[in-house]
Amino acid sequence: MRLCLSWDDGHPDDRRIAERMAVHGLRGTFFVPLSNVEGRPVMAMGDLRALNAAGFEIGAHGVDHRRLHMLPAAEMQRQLTEGRARLEDMLGQPVRGLCYPGGRHNAAIRAAAAATGYGYGRTTEMLRLDCGRDPYRMPTSLQLHPHRLLPLLRNWLRQGGGLARLLRLARVWRAGSLPLAVNSLAAEAERQDGVLHLWGHSWEIGELAGGWPQLEEIFASLAALVPPEARKTCRELLK
């Protein structure tokens, strides 16, 4: 089994996420907009450089977190181009990863991402234990958030349904807690020699009652289960 953790929105609490991941020897990717039109703060340049120096991958998340599918073509292209170029200027190295803001994408956005020089695009499709066949439609296994049943069903339907994903949805729902849901998916990924890709928002962890202790429990469990060589960034998953 391979493990990947990815975090969206570039909130300053990502620094706390990275610190706890480092304590447990975990790796992953942080997708960062330059600002957030929704009003949430984002990390400063020094924070991004520190995460990058610590071995985490930094990926783009648009200029200001606007939903790309709702924008005129020229503005959509600016979000992709400028969001990446300014991150590269900050880090002094290429940025290959993209997470579509809000997880929303279409064929035109994916084609533009490829033409702009991104190597992959991560989606918010959940309940998958593989990397997918299209690097610009990279799926995930689970968001680290206690979703109600309806949002899980919407995600399942919007992303193509499927019996295997529906059975995973049922197990996640019955688990009753995030640590137990992660354990259930991890056990299946281990049996299949698959991919466990967990993602989330640090600001949501902070808003969730008991969020940080639960996350610590999950990190400790994953560190005990997954050997260091199988802990990957998003980019490394696709190699």
Side-chain angles (χ1 to χ4, degrees):
M1 178 180 73
R2 289 172 292 161
L3 170 69
C4 181
L5 297 164
S6 60
W7 301 92
D8 301 358
D9 295 3
H11 190 275
D13 279 349
D14 283 4
R15 296 171 299 190
R16 183 173 178 181
I17 295 279
E19 176 189 348
R20 300 317 303 164
M21 287 176 65
V23 165
H24 292 284
L26 301 174
R27 309 192 65 229
T29 301
F30 291 83
F31 294 103
V32 182
L34 304 169
S35 62
N36 195 320
V37 71
E38 295 159 357
R40 293 189 184 90
V42 299
M43 287 183 287
M45 182 188 304
D47 297 324
L48 297 179
R49 288 175 172 169
L51 263 62
N52 183 63
F56 297 105
E57 180 189 13
I58 305 297
H61 206 30
V63 173
D64 53 11
H65 203 242
R66 294 181 191 272
R67 304 304 193 257
L68 301 177
H69 72 293
M70 300 177 66
L71 301 175
E75 175 59 17
M76 180 268 285
Q77 183 63 59
R78 186 185 77 85
Q79 292 279 331
L80 293 175
T81 304
E82 186 176 331
R84 178 173 177 242
R86 288 172 60 184
L87 278 180
E88 290 181 333
D89 287 344
M90 291 180 190
L91 299 173
Q93 65 183 48
V95 169
R96 301 301 187 198
L98 168 69
C99 177
Y100 307 107
R104 304 303 294 270
H105 60 94
N106 55 37
I109 293 169
R110 296 191 298 272
T116 301
Y118 290 101
Y120 68 88
R122 205 217 74 200
T123 72
T124 55
E125 179 184 355
M126 295 191 289
L127 305 168
R128 293 276 296 272
L129 298 176
D130 63 284
C131 289
R133 297 181 179 180
D134 182 348
Y136 298 96
R137 302 183 73 162
M138 187 180 198
T140 71
S141 304
L142 186 68
Q143 182 183 2
L144 292 174
H145 180 78
H147 282 300
R148 297 177 183 269
L149 181 59
L150 186 56
L152 289 171
L153 285 170
R154 285 193 187 122
N155 186 277
W156 173 73
L157 284 170
R158 188 170 64 240
Q159 305 293 346
L163 179 59
R165 291 180 66 235
L166 183 61
L167 293 174
R168 288 180 198 128
L169 186 156
R171 286 197 295 273
V172 164
W173 176 247
R174 288 199 305 265
S177 74
L178 278 177
L180 291 176
V182 170
N183 288 345
S184 173
L185 290 176
E188 184 181 356
E190 181 73 14
R191 290 193 300 270
Q192 296 183 8
D193 192 24
V195 173
L196 182 67
H197 187 158
L198 306 173
W199 70 280
H201 304 100
S202 60
W203 58 267
E204 283 187 326
I205 300 296
E207 292 178 355
L208 176 65
W212 290 106
Q214 285 189 64
L215 190 66
E216 188 72 15
E217 180 181 347
I218 289 168
F219 284 174
S221 176
L222 293 173
L225 177 66
V226 183
E229 64 271 15
R231 305 168 190 176
K232 308 292 184 181
T233 65
C234 287
R235 187 179 181 189
E236 289 168 347
L237 275 182
L238 298 174
K239 289 184 179 179

